Amino acid sequence: MVSHAHQGTTSSALTRLSVNAARLLGIPPHGYAHLLGLAPEHLNDDLCRTPAATGIRIAELTTVHTPWSELSVLLAQQSSIGTLGVWDYLITSAPTPLEGIRDASAYFATVADTGTDTLQVTEDGEHITISHVNQADLTYEAACAIRAYALGLYQRRLGEAAQRRIVPVHVALAAEAPRRHDALTELYGTRSIDFEAPDSSITFLAGDLKTPNPHAQPGLSTVLRRHAEQTLATAIPLHNWLDLFRAALASADDETTPTLSAVARRMAVSTRTLQRRLDEHGTTWSDEVETVRRARITRLLHTTDLSIDAIAARSGYADARALRRAVQRWYGTTPATLRRTGHHHPDSAATGLSDLG
């Protein structure tokens, strides 16, 4: 379910949250606006996944200007339902809060970098503990803010699922005690907070999380899990310049047959510079366009009843015969067979664009 390509990235929604917090706290944008993934066409596109390093840098800049405990509270306050997309609704739409947080753990990759962060749910008799482990390479204060925020976010979503505030029986933070606890006491609704714990966790009474959600709808969780899987399958991880180019190419392909000049304009470079950068990354314009076409054609064959002629027209081929030759070259079979079997050659995932669209 989780591709290795997703690791090292987080959802653009999570990055937008960090950017908004930095803005509210008056952090000068010149310190982070240049970071990879923060261009509006990427930051505001829910298909794009921004580098985890970008979010880390914003958190580090922010905690230079404000205590980590206050940042964690601000992030939680700004995380209204829907801010983090389908992940939010996995929790709030489940039959019980416990089932919802288990789904959130299973699909944690839709928001976080699962290469460094994990969400774990442990049931022990009358208590249920939700742990957040963060092993990213970041400053101490930024790590504290992220861990404290994560626990506050889980508590908020569980309360939204139950339609009432759920107060934990205990909170443990992998952080030294700040000078003032007021912000954290307000965040969690309890003074039962231990510091310098091995891992950050929040513990609830099992009864609070096993009570049926008042507005749960039968079957909705299944739909949301499928949507979460689709979100991961269509995500565009941005790790480097080549990823940015491929995101621009995919966006241009959604509108019309992409051209070199159009994509160069999107990336604010000359066509010559664009071709040189592609050469530096060991690829060419024609190879990248063909990969986009392959992804589009495969998707249309598997998910629509469009005729071969219609798919050829949508994909920039002169006619169905040209499309058939291309499919034969890629997969060693015909479009009709590919559509009927739903299978394709394993090498089709070899390039970064094979799963786009």
Side-chain angles (χ1 to χ4, degrees), residues 100-167:
I101 198 66
R102 288 194 186 282
D103 277 350
S105 175
Y107 293 95
F108 199 40
T110 57
V111 288
D113 175 13
T114 54
T116 58
D117 288 67
T118 57
L119 190 175
Q120 300 172 340
V121 182
T122 306
E123 190 171 351
D124 182 17
E126 297 181 355
H127 296 103
I128 294 170
T129 297
I130 303 166
S131 303
H132 183 97
V133 179
N134 174 278
Q135 298 176 320
D137 182 16
L138 68 172
T139 63
Y140 175 77
E141 289 77 12
C144 293
I146 290 171
R147 294 162 185 163
Y149 158 65
L151 300 187
L153 174 66
Y154 305 152
Q155 180 185 7
R156 176 171 183 173
R157 289 292 177 270
L158 291 167
E160 288 164 340
Q163 297 286 294
R164 62 184 177 85
R165 181 153 199 203
I166 300 178
V167 179

Side-chain angles (χ1 to χ4, degrees), residues 201-280:
S201 64
I202 187 166
T203 301
F204 301 94
L205 290 174
D208 283 338
L209 300 195
K210 291 184 176 182
T211 300
N213 291 335
H215 299 299
Q217 299 181 42
L220 182 55
S221 288
T222 300
V223 173
L224 290 170
R225 285 192 290 268
R226 289 173 183 164
H227 183 57
E229 291 171 359
Q230 184 66 15
T231 297
L232 288 170
T234 57
I236 306 172
L238 304 179
H239 294 285
N240 51 40
W241 180 89
L242 186 57
D243 288 334
L244 295 181
F245 162 77
R246 286 171 169 167
L249 178 59
S251 180
D253 183 62
D254 285 341
E255 300 170 6
T256 182
T257 301
T259 64
L260 179 63
S261 59
V263 175
R265 284 195 299 272
R266 283 175 179 265
M267 301 190 72
V269 298
S270 68
T271 55
R272 179 174 297 181
T273 297
L274 181 57
Q275 288 176 312
R276 177 175 55 80
R277 294 296 302 272
L278 288 171
D279 183 63
E280 291 171 354

